[in-house]
């Protein structure tokens, strides 16, 4: 399962982002889940400090009205979750260069000033790209197994599997 994290200080924009992501996950039956959707980065920082091998998708606002901004949060995420897919959603187009200076390897930089249709399209594209990485890159990992359950393809760590059993009934 791919965990998704949202950090947006504007509650209305955060809820809109949640809705777009939730609908796409539901329609496409992606093996994804919104784990944290917060207005302050503290819970995301706690999560990345207390968990390993997250491989999450992070939607971050840059101006968080907090001690740290989204770029700094992205830098912390990159240290703890090197395979993270970081997407910045912001009104600050002038800060795009900082993502390169901090070597954040952002998947996208979405401007909120764009029309809502453009923003939604870009968010959906990011989820599609992250899902394709999830299904293709990790298949070669000898510590994981890929299983198709109905329409959903899931990856499991071999260490999490105790046994496999078949049944006469599907």
């Amino acid at each position: 399962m791919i965990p998704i994290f949202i950090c947006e200080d504007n509650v209305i924009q955060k809820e809109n982002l949640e809705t777009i992501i939730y609908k796409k996950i539901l329609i496409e039956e992606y093996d994804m889940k919104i784990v944290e959707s917060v207005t302050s980065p503290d819970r995301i920082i706690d999560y990345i400090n207390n968990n390993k091998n997250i491989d999450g998708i992070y939607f971050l606002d840059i101006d968080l009205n907090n001690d740290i901004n989204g770029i700094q949060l992205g830098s912390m995420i990159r240290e703890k979750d090197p395979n993270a897919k970081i997407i910045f959603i912001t009104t600050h187009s002038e800060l795009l260069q900082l993502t390169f200076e901090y070597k954040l390897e952002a998947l996208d930089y979405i401007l909120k000033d764009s029309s809502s249709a453009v923003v939604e399209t870009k968010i959906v594209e990011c989820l599609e790209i992250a899902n394709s990485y999830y299904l293709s890159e990790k298949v070669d990992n000898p510590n994981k197994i890929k299983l198709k359950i109905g329409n959903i393809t899931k990856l499991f760590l071999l260490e999490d599997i105790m046994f496999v059993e078949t049944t006469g009934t599907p």
Side-chain angles (χ1 to χ4, degrees), residues 2-6 32 55-59 85 87 126-127 130:
I2 306 173
I4 298 175
F5 303 86
I6 300 168
M32 299 178 183
D55 295 341
I57 303 171
Y58 300 82
F59 290 91
K85 307 299 180 269
I87 300 105
C126 289
L127 291 173

Side-chain angles (χ1 to χ4, degrees), residues 62 66-77 88 102 104:
I62 290 184
N66 199 291
D67 296 340
I68 65 169
N69 63 34
I71 300 281
Q72 293 164 322
L73 176 59
S75 183
M76 290 179 202
I77 290 167
F88 291 104
Y102 277 76
L104 295 178

Side-chain angles (χ1 to χ4, degrees), residues 23-63:
K23 283 181 183 176
K24 183 65 177 176
I25 292 170
L26 196 61
I27 290 168
E28 298 296 332
E29 296 181 333
Y30 287 155
D31 188 20
M32 299 178 183
K33 179 182 176 186
I34 297 174
V35 173
E36 294 285 352
S37 183
V38 294
T39 56
S40 167
D42 300 330
R43 286 195 357 220
I44 292 176
I45 293 168
D46 287 344
Y47 192 94
I48 62 172
N49 284 332
N50 294 318
N51 292 279
K52 293 181 180 180
N53 302 320
I54 302 168
D55 295 341
I57 303 171
Y58 300 82
F59 290 91
L60 308 176
D61 186 10
I62 290 184
D63 185 8

Side-chain angles (χ1 to χ4, degrees), residues 15-160:
E15 289 172 356
N16 288 339
L17 187 55
E18 289 171 8
T19 302
I20 293 167
I21 293 169
Y22 181 73
K23 283 181 183 176
K24 183 65 177 176
I25 292 170
L26 196 61
I27 290 168
E28 298 296 332
E29 296 181 333
Y30 287 155
D31 188 20
M32 299 178 183
K33 179 182 176 186
I34 297 174
V35 173
E36 294 285 352
S37 183
V38 294
T39 56
S40 167
D42 300 330
R43 286 195 357 220
I44 292 176
I45 293 168
D46 287 344
Y47 192 94
I48 62 172
N49 284 332
N50 294 318
N51 292 279
K52 293 181 180 180
N53 302 320
I54 302 168
D55 295 341
I57 303 171
Y58 300 82
F59 290 91
L60 308 176
D61 186 10
I62 290 184
D63 185 8
L64 297 172
N65 291 317
N66 199 291
D67 296 340
I68 65 169
N69 63 34
I71 300 281
Q72 293 164 322
L73 176 59
S75 183
M76 290 179 202
I77 290 167
R78 182 61 66 211
E79 281 180 29
K80 299 287 185 174
D81 188 0
N83 295 321
K85 307 299 180 269
I86 300 172
I87 300 105
F88 291 104
I89 301 182
T90 186
T91 55
H92 298 281
S93 60
E94 71 279 4
L95 298 177
L96 173 62
Q97 185 63 30
L98 280 178
T99 63
F100 294 104
E101 289 176 24
Y102 277 76
K103 312 282 190 260
L104 295 178
E105 300 179 40
L107 181 61
D108 207 342
Y109 196 94
I110 303 170
L111 295 176
K112 294 179 192 174
D113 299 342
S114 305
S115 71
S116 59
V118 169
V119 171
E120 182 172 349
T121 299
K122 290 184 76 68
I123 292 167
V124 165
E125 286 173 355
C126 289
L127 291 173
E128 290 169 351
I129 290 167
N131 188 61
S132 69
Y133 287 158
Y134 173 70
L135 295 178
S136 64
E137 285 182 14
K138 295 181 183 175
V139 172
D140 297 332
N141 186 335
N143 298 321
K144 295 196 178 191
I145 186 169
K146 179 171 133 179
L147 299 174
K148 187 167 184 173
I149 303 168
N151 292 330
I152 300 173
T153 303
K154 292 188 173 200
L155 292 171
F156 297 95
L157 286 170
L158 289 177
E159 65 190 39
D160 291 342

